[in-house]
Amino acid sequence: MNQNLYDFIVNKGHHQYRHTVDWCLAEEYAAKGLSPIQRMADRFERLCREEEAVILEGEQIVFLRTVANLPAIFTEEEWAEINQKHYIHELGFMSNLSPNYYDTIATGLLEKRKTADPYGQRAIDNILMLSDKYLEKAKKQGREDLVEILTQVPRHPARSFREALQFFRILHYALWLEGNYHNTVGRFDKYIWPYLKADLEKGIYTRDTALALLEDFFLSFNKDSDIYVGVQQGDNGQSMMLGGEEVFNLLTELCLEASCNNKLIDPKINLRVSKKTPKEIFTKATHLTKAGLGFPQYSNDDVVIPALERLGYAHEDAANYTVAACWEFIIPNVGADVANIAALSYPKAVDTALHSSLLTAKTYEEFFATVQAEITAECDRICAGIHDLWFIPSPFMNVLMDCDIYNGGKYNNFGIHGTGIATAADSLAAIKKYVFEEQSIGKEELIQAVDENFENTPELLHTLRYEAPKLGNNDDFADSIATALLDSFAAALTGRTNCRGGIYRAGTGSAMYYLWHADEIGASPDGRRAKEPFGTNYSVSLFAKVKGPVSVIASMTKQHFENAINGGPLTLEFHQSIFAEEDGIEKVGMLVKSFIDRGGHQLQLNTVNLDRMLDAQKHPENHRQLVVRIWGWSAYFVELDKEYQDHVIARQAYTV
Amino acid sequence: MTGIVFDIKEMAVHDGPGLRTTVFFKGCPLRCRWCHNPEGLTFQPQLMVKDARCIGCKNCQKGCDHPECKPFGRCIHVCPENCLEIAGRQVDAKALAAELLQTAEILGDAFGGFTFSGGEPLAQPEFLLALAAELKPHHLCIETSGFAGPEIFRAVLEQLDYIIMDIKLADPVLHQQYTGQSNDQILHNFEILRQSSKPYTIRTPLIPGITDTKENLAAIAALIGDSNWEKLPYNAAAGAKYKMLGMKFENHPAK
């Protein structure tokens, strides 16, 4: 790694080259009556002109954002009108795509230009114009290496590992500059490996020099990422997928090492594994977990691929899956899924049933049936609400996809998250045990206690919160309820067609809804008080006293993920000390392997140090580089809003 | 056959090979000054209060009818922060084994099994043997001070797959002074262990000024020869649990 460059970037030295623009584009476009795609094309052209070439000392992978903002292309009135006419997802883009870097890097933009539509051609011309600015700069600075590279790429196919990396950097940079977001990296070790392999065979690189270059390349993901803000800083979707069927090569290993050495939150590393994955790979990956970045996130090919096929994905596409910004399973090149379009709140379904049907329900089964009906009704509402979906077109993104995504990709499915499954399962377990089986808690008593936020019933609160059966203890009593909830959710979405002709996919993720949905209801029958958040994604409740990670894994691998494969991991937290010795690292690796062998679908592990987080809240200046995992992405702790910080801290109560 | 245990910990990474779950037996004949598991000392249930989370609601002092709360005069079932718990659960060997066996397959696939620790597991020999019999053929390991009669030690050794045994102090006088017991039995049992075919590890906690002295470490080295030997660094935070138990960490080695 180039340490000087690393320090310069980490200390934000490169921000000095940035400026903002105050162009009133929207008004101009409105006056001219330009269409949305014309506006996108025009803004991109102006931005490419405005961008300056900056080549930092010793920088091997160039392209740096110098324009820090993207002026709006619609006036407020126009945008309001569009929102009225259409269902608009998030900021309006079809994000969370995995474009075909592979093909583009292998053929060059001139070749791509031949088949692109006029807007795509214009985007390509502008990228070439900008890359020529870098070429001129390289000549001026006497950077012969860059002159050679930029003469070749992105116009022509990459001929070497370094050209492939530079080509990728330009494509990725252009996607962000165009305005789309959550632009994922895809199966990097699959499509870049042939270049490294050839260079290694030619003797151009050794393992060490390849690693050093890769570290500089990984650093490039962190140059502009602060401009790519999602819900919070760090939520930028630069997800990289490694491994998978037939793929675990030297580049995979080098990527794990580069991430470990750089200790930066981008790119976000995912690893595809299966029953066939040897123990040593889990050990290697656990060394990265030890670094405390919240990577890698694992997904299980044995579960994900067949489940995607069941949903109608062709085998070759399912086998080629990657992840969206967080953990949603998407298909590179041809998938135009909107994998995070909405979310179901399980606890809300339970809360509604509690107030509408508990008093009249004669059995637990009868009560659960009303919860199921509530889940179905909520899915009805969610799906009915999504119609006339419209996207702001991104011409260059469309160039990089193998199909015209705006007129329908090969897959046009919608993913729905499922929030708070543990809160709901634990609530139902308590109702089943205490209200119906033991009859030790009265129905009115429970409803009143929940409505009063347990203010007047401390003993009841204690029982529900700390003594009732909880998901995560390998106890079928609670675990089977989670299974039934997930099945109900999946069944409620089966057979529906969405407004783009695709289907709906049930998922196990929560995204930020673990906070938002928790605010929609008061307390819950699992002893959760009002305002307390749910666990993130597919996790146990924040205050559940669980026996430990082995039981959690046993519990959380029982469910039928083949019916609910939109994505969303089980999260486990480990104290840093467990990784102190190689033996501990191997054991964590074995635990991950157990999860995979038992048919878990997705797993994410965190290394945490509670004392350090508490100190960072008091003295943020001392902990600028402290990284924590939020719902599907890693972030610098001190850059998060306090509610997100507090949730990470609350998660630590039962850390191993 | 019942015994008393104070904790069951999954994924105890320092308690033997592979993925393991450790059962902590309550009660110990030794009184090591540096002991960091004070709830493992007596054979009776004890109230543990995590004061740090107390919000001062005083619910626990209002009185209750729970028989388990009676001996302590405070209710453990009413704290909104779950500050109070009873360390020490009387449990039947068969029932405990059934609980442990739920994850045995995962542990076995990960080259691990179960470990008996404490407290001193050898201090409840019948319970230990009964539990071991129920858990077989899973891989079983013990963490012990080695303080027990030789017949007990032999009987247990036969049932287990891996032994982790402490030799804290080689000198019998110092051993008596710092642990409250002579090391005669321990050293005798070590010979039994050495002559057995069981794989084992000897551990020495490095207590500043007490066990980490040059003399002691040299004497232990001479005693154990080429045995596998682990020296464990002393955890300075070890005294934290004493306060929760209403006990004093009077013999803190740092004093």
Side-chain angles (χ1 to χ4, degrees):
Chain A
M1 190 200 321
N2 180 337
Q3 191 64 44
N4 287 339
L5 180 67
Y6 179 91
D7 293 341
F8 185 75
I9 299 295
V10 167
N11 294 318
K12 307 184 196 314
H14 60 298
H15 288 199
Q16 66 186 279
Y17 301 106
R18 284 188 190 165
H19 68 284
T20 54
V21 290
D22 55 2
W23 308 334
C24 301
L25 296 184
E27 289 71 16
E28 183 189 326
Y29 294 159
K32 284 186 185 160
L34 295 190
S35 70
I37 196 165
Q38 287 172 324
R39 296 178 189 208
M40 283 293 286
D42 183 80
R43 183 178 70 177
F44 186 62
E45 184 162 312
R46 293 195 203 203
L47 287 165
C48 286
R49 285 205 191 110
E50 181 74 13
E51 277 291 344
E52 293 161 50
V54 176
I55 299 173
L56 303 170
E57 204 185 323
E59 198 178 32
Q60 298 200 71
I61 305 295
V62 296
F63 267 65
L64 184 72
R65 275 286 287 274
T66 63
V67 183
N69 65 321
L70 304 178
I73 56 167
F74 297 109
T75 65
E76 277 177 32
E77 297 75 46
E78 285 176 320
W79 190 237
E81 200 186 314
I82 290 169
N83 269 277
Q84 214 164 29
K85 262 174 60 190
H86 298 282
Y87 183 92
I88 296 298
H89 178 54
E90 295 181 350
L91 303 179
F93 291 92
M94 189 190 290
S95 55
N96 282 303
L97 297 170
S98 181
N100 195 341
Y101 300 106
Y102 174 81
D103 193 36
T104 315
I105 290 171
T107 57
L109 281 180
L110 286 185
E111 189 62 27
K112 276 272 159 195
R113 198 182 182 287
K114 290 181 187 163
T115 50
D117 67 16
Y119 295 104
Q121 289 177 350
R122 189 170 159 195
I124 288 170
D125 293 343
N126 283 310
I127 293 166
L128 295 176
M129 177 260 291
L130 177 56
S131 91
D132 285 344
K133 279 197 241 178
Y134 272 87
L135 177 60
E136 288 312 308
K137 189 85 177 181
K139 283 179 186 163
K140 232 183 252 172
Q141 291 184 206
R143 288 287 304 270
E144 290 308 320
D145 57 331
L146 283 172
V147 171
E148 193 192 330
I149 290 165
L150 292 169
T151 305
Q152 180 71 18
V153 297
R155 243 180 208 86
H156 309 291
R159 300 164 300 185
S160 65
F161 179 48
R162 187 164 162 203
E163 283 184 0
L165 296 181
Q166 181 61 64
F167 203 149
F168 174 91
R169 171 66 184 158
I170 294 169
L171 295 175
H172 200 230
Y173 170 104
L175 290 173
W176 285 104
L177 188 67
E178 188 180 43
N180 212 328
Y181 62 96
H182 285 165
N183 303 309
T184 68
V185 180
R187 301 187 67 188
F188 182 77
D189 56 348
K190 186 181 177 210
Y191 62 79
I192 295 293
W193 169 238
Y195 297 97
L196 175 59
K197 186 166 177 274
D199 279 9
L200 288 167
E201 280 161 8
K202 287 182 210 153
I204 297 173
Y205 289 101
T206 63
R207 189 184 196 281
D208 286 350
T209 56
L211 177 63
L213 176 59
L214 196 63
E215 286 167 356
D216 282 3
F217 171 71
F218 273 26
L219 180 63
S220 74
F221 287 92
N222 299 275
K223 289 173 179 170
D224 321 312
S225 53
D226 60 306
I227 302 173
Y228 314 155
V229 188
V231 173
Q232 291 277 295
Q233 187 64 261
D235 172 24
N236 59 41
Q238 301 187 107
S239 318
M240 174 180 283
M241 179 58 88
L242 304 173
E245 293 193 332
E246 311 304 323
V247 183
F248 194 94
N249 51 50
L250 179 64
L251 182 57
T252 320
E253 266 183 51
L254 294 178
C255 286
L256 293 174
E257 280 179 45
S259 181
C260 204
N261 294 345
N262 274 17
K263 293 198 168 49
L264 297 171
I265 61 171
D266 285 291
K268 304 176 196 309
I269 306 292
N270 287 265
L271 187 61
R272 280 178 48 170
V273 289
S274 73
K275 256 190 189 150
K276 283 183 272 177
T277 305
K279 188 171 150 254
E280 295 68 41
I281 289 180
F282 291 103
T283 305
K284 278 187 180 131
T286 306
H287 277 275
L288 178 54
T289 300
K290 179 189 178 181
L293 301 165
F295 318 145
Q297 174 171 260
Y298 297 91
S299 52
N300 187 351
D301 284 2
D302 296 331
V303 175
V304 178
I305 295 171
L308 288 172
E309 287 185 69
R310 274 173 66 112
L311 287 176
Y313 292 86
H315 174 73
E316 66 271 19
D317 293 330
N320 197 31
Y321 80 89
T322 182
V323 288
C326 297
W327 19 249
E328 299 93 331
F329 300 114
I330 58 169
I331 311 300
N333 316 338
V334 293
D337 295 335
V338 184
N340 62 342
I341 203 157
L344 166 86
S345 168
Y346 293 106
K348 193 179 171 198
V350 174
D351 187 66
T352 307
L354 176 79
H355 289 96
S356 70
S357 314
L358 184 64
L359 291 178
T360 53
K362 290 187 192 65
T363 61
Y364 171 74
E365 288 67 31
E366 198 183 309
F367 179 67
F368 185 72
T370 62
V371 174
Q372 281 181 305
E374 217 24 74
I375 288 173
T376 306
E378 182 64 14
C379 288
D380 288 343
R381 282 189 288 273
I382 290 171
C383 298
I386 306 168
H387 48 79
D388 301 310
L389 179 63
W390 181 79
F391 300 106
I392 303 171
S394 304
F396 186 58
M397 175 61 90
N398 212 15
V399 167
L400 295 191
M401 298 297 292
D402 289 356
C403 44
D404 182 352
I405 51 174
Y406 299 105
N407 288 314
K410 189 170 176 185
Y411 305 105
N412 302 285
N413 304 324
F414 294 168
I416 315 266
H417 304 319
T419 318
I421 193 161
T423 302
D426 294 350
S427 294
L428 289 168
I431 291 169
K432 185 179 182 189
K433 180 177 159 84
Y434 299 116
V435 175
F436 288 103
E437 290 185 359
E438 294 181 3
Q439 301 186 1
S440 55
I441 300 175
K443 291 173 174 174
E444 291 90 351
E445 182 192 4
L446 179 67
I447 294 168
Q448 191 180 347
V450 167
D451 290 346
E452 292 172 357
N453 197 19
F454 305 107
E455 300 287 350
N456 306 309
T457 46
E459 191 167 351
L460 184 61
L461 172 68
H462 189 278
T463 303
L464 295 171
R465 197 173 166 91
Y466 303 115
E467 297 177 8
K470 300 286 176 189
L471 177 65
N473 274 319
N474 193 19
D475 169 4
D476 278 334
F477 195 90
D479 298 348
S480 64
I481 295 175
T483 306
L485 284 170
L486 189 61
D487 286 349
S488 304
F489 179 32
L493 289 179
T494 302
R496 294 176 194 259
T497 304
N498 72 37
C499 65
R500 299 189 79 229
I503 57 161
Y504 287 90
R505 315 193 312 188
T508 46
S510 70
M512 59 284 168
Y513 296 102
Y514 66 96
L515 297 178
W516 295 359
H517 278 165
D519 277 348
E520 287 178 4
I521 58 169
S524 41
D526 62 335
R528 182 191 134 276
R529 286 173 288 215
K531 308 274 182 216
E532 283 189 286
F534 305 148
T536 48
N537 301 324
Y538 202 63
S539 298
V540 301
S541 151
L542 284 179
F543 51 81
K545 267 183 91 170
V546 292
K547 292 179 195 163
V550 178
S551 290
V552 169
I553 278 180
S555 278
M556 308 302 268
T557 51
K558 288 176 185 173
Q559 291 73 35
H560 308 135
F561 303 109
E562 65 268 28
N563 299 328
I565 206 66
N566 193 57
L570 166 66
T571 295
L572 293 176
E573 318 269 347
F574 292 94
H575 191 267
Q576 265 175 351
S577 57
I578 205 168
F579 304 98
E581 288 155 33
E582 190 63 27
D583 186 46
I585 291 173
E586 273 179 36
K587 285 177 181 176
V588 174
M590 284 187 223
L591 187 74
V592 175
K593 184 161 169 47
S594 308
F595 175 82
I596 298 300
D597 290 350
R598 294 180 68 82
H601 64 322
Q602 201 169 28
L603 179 67
Q604 191 266 317
L605 298 92
N606 295 319
T607 303
V608 291
N609 186 329
L610 181 60
D611 295 338
R612 202 167 161 212
M613 287 192 283
L614 293 173
D615 195 56
Q617 285 195 322
K618 284 186 213 141
H619 308 289
E621 67 283 3
N622 299 337
H623 302 278
R624 292 253 172 254
Q625 297 307 116
L626 174 61
V627 173
V628 291
R629 184 82 175 177
I630 311 303
W631 66 81
W633 39 278
S634 301
Y636 296 105
F637 183 80
V638 300
E639 292 178 356
L640 294 166
D641 288 343
K642 189 156 184 302
E643 59 182 332
Y644 290 94
Q645 290 184 351
D646 288 344
H647 192 274
V648 180
I649 287 171
R651 276 188 346 221
Q652 311 317 318
Y654 299 101
T655 294
V656 175
Chain B
M1 183 67 233
T2 69
I4 185 164
V5 301
F6 69 86
D7 201 6
I8 294 169
K9 191 172 160 50
E10 291 184 354
M11 193 126 181
V13 292
H14 301 298
D15 296 354
L19 283 189
R20 311 195 73 82
T21 295
T22 300
V23 180
F24 292 85
F25 287 55
K26 190 159 164 47
C28 182
L30 269 58
R31 287 293 178 274
C32 305
R33 291 205 183 176
W34 53 83
C35 181
H36 64 273
N37 278 337
E39 72 274 44
L41 294 176
T42 76
F43 291 86
Q44 286 77 43
Q46 281 172 285
L47 182 68
M48 264 185 115
V49 184
K50 291 169 185 147
D51 270 334
R53 293 198 296 223
C54 177
I55 54 167
C57 68
K58 298 200 163 56
N59 283 338
C60 59
Q61 294 167 20
K62 285 176 187 158
C64 69
D65 301 326
H66 308 115
E68 64 274 23
C69 303
K70 276 270 154 58
F72 309 111
R74 288 169 82 178
C75 179
I76 63 162
H77 297 295
V78 74
C79 177
E81 299 301 317
N82 209 29
C83 294
L84 292 83
E85 75 184 85
I86 294 173
R89 151 165 88 110
Q90 200 73 38
V91 62
D92 178 69
K94 267 197 167 73
L96 178 57
E99 193 182 317
L100 293 168
L101 286 170
Q102 285 178 356
T103 53
E105 189 189 311
I106 299 182
L107 303 181
D109 287 350
F111 315 101
F114 302 99
T115 297
F116 308 119
S117 184
E120 175 49 66
L122 294 181
Q124 299 182 58
E126 285 124 21
F127 175 60
L128 174 61
L129 289 168
L131 184 58
E134 294 292 333
L135 292 174
K136 287 215 148 204
H138 297 288
H139 188 275
L140 303 179
C141 174
I142 190 170
E143 284 181 320
T144 175
S145 67
F147 187 86
E151 58 295 337
I152 290 175
F153 192 78
R154 275 205 184 87
V156 171
L157 197 58
E158 209 159 285
Q159 299 305 315
L160 300 188
D161 303 292
Y162 196 92
I163 316 297
I164 299 171
M165 179 171 148
D166 275 13
I167 295 185
K168 306 173 209 287
L169 284 158
D171 183 280
V173 177
L174 291 177
H175 201 280
Q176 178 78 43
Q177 183 185 338
Y178 287 108
T179 73
Q181 297 284 1
S182 155
N183 61 3
D184 290 354
Q185 285 195 7
I186 294 170
L187 298 183
H188 182 69
N189 285 337
F190 169 66
E191 284 309 319
I192 295 174
L193 175 61
R194 179 142 69 168
Q195 283 158 29
S196 77
S197 58
K198 298 284 175 177
Y200 68 94
T201 291
I202 297 300
R203 276 188 182 161
T204 303
L206 296 176
I207 311 302
I210 303 175
T211 66
D212 72 344
T213 63
K214 228 192 243 168
E215 299 75 32
N216 184 47
L217 294 177
I220 292 176
L223 259 171
I224 65 171
D226 60 357
S227 302
N228 187 27
W229 189 22
E230 281 179 12
K231 283 162 271 187
L232 303 182
Y234 176 66
N235 176 5
K241 282 198 233 166
Y242 283 83
K243 192 170 168 266
M244 297 178 195
L245 292 158
M247 295 162 72
K248 280 201 175 136
F249 196 23
E250 288 184 52
N251 295 318
H252 195 291
K255 272 187 186 172

